Amino acid sequence: MRIVYLLLLTVGLAACSGANNARNEAPALPEEPVETVEPIDLSQYEDFDAAAYRETDEVATQVDVTHDVPDRLMNNRAGQPTSYTTDGYRVQIFSSQNKQQADQIWGEAVAWWRNLPTPDQPDGYNPDGLDAEVVYMQPYYRVRLGNFTSRPQAQELLSLLRARFDRALIVPDRVTVRR
């Protein structure tokens, strides 16, 4: 049996070896003169009418698009004011454990602000623009005015409020700023 395997191995290797006199060169082709051919005008043969395939204004398919554009821009509200909450300052004009007193002072502050002549109001405010709220922080109800991101802005309102509310003071707070 060994002899058969050895014989098959020898025949297989001989078949794979190839001829010894093989050349790696391609045979040379006879040289022919190059003919110059004039370009053909295909427009005289073309019968395609593009008018049948004109684009229409209709969209064939609905495509869902994912984007990073804010909703206020997509809904055509770019010019409308936006608001955000940040650390800032308010002017506190009253503090008490009595909610009715705090509500009364809040009403007085809003009425006083609306009756204030426009030239006396700080820049950027109008009669309806004063942000006034009653905040409960146990055990006190506090009346706070304004939404300011910087202390100098709050100082301007404080100097105006001190004429009416002598115990007014600037306090740090979370404020909602509208732009």
Side-chain angles (χ1 to χ4, degrees), residues 76-97:
N76 200 22
R77 293 180 294 147
Q80 295 178 352
T82 60
S83 62
Y84 62 94
T85 302
T86 185
D87 290 330
Y89 301 92
R90 295 182 194 271
V91 178
Q92 180 172 306
I93 60 171
F94 182 76
S95 178
S96 172
Q97 291 182 345

Side-chain angles (χ1 to χ4, degrees), residues 124-177:
Y125 279 89
N126 59 33
D128 297 325
L130 180 66
D131 294 309
E133 59 185 31
V134 176
V135 180
Y136 178 72
M137 286 187 277
Q138 190 174 2
Y140 296 104
Y141 292 92
R142 298 166 181 173
V143 179
R144 294 186 172 174
L145 310 174
N147 284 320
F148 303 103
T149 56
S150 70
R151 191 171 182 91
Q153 292 172 324
Q155 186 67 42
E156 186 178 349
L157 181 62
L158 176 67
S159 62
L160 184 64
L161 287 171
R162 283 249 169 106
R164 173 66 175 91
F165 304 97
D166 58 343
R167 300 182 72 184
L169 64 134
I170 297 174
V171 293
D173 201 354
R174 293 290 290 174
V175 297
T176 301
V177 179

Side-chain angles (χ1 to χ4, degrees), residues 55-129:
E55 292 184 21
T56 62
D57 291 337
E58 298 176 25
V59 178
T61 60
Q62 180 67 27
V63 178
D64 292 330
V65 178
T66 303
H67 52 76
D68 294 335
V69 179
D71 288 337
R72 65 186 185 88
L73 294 179
M74 291 301 294
N75 296 328
N76 200 22
R77 293 180 294 147
Q80 295 178 352
T82 60
S83 62
Y84 62 94
T85 302
T86 185
D87 290 330
Y89 301 92
R90 295 182 194 271
V91 178
Q92 180 172 306
I93 60 171
F94 182 76
S95 178
S96 172
Q97 291 182 345
N98 187 331
K99 182 169 179 8
Q100 286 77 21
Q101 280 183 325
D103 288 339
Q104 180 183 355
I105 296 296
W106 176 86
E108 289 176 17
V110 170
W112 173 79
W113 182 261
R114 287 192 176 143
N115 293 327
L116 190 66
T118 304
D120 291 344
Q121 293 178 356
D123 291 337
Y125 279 89
N126 59 33
D128 297 325

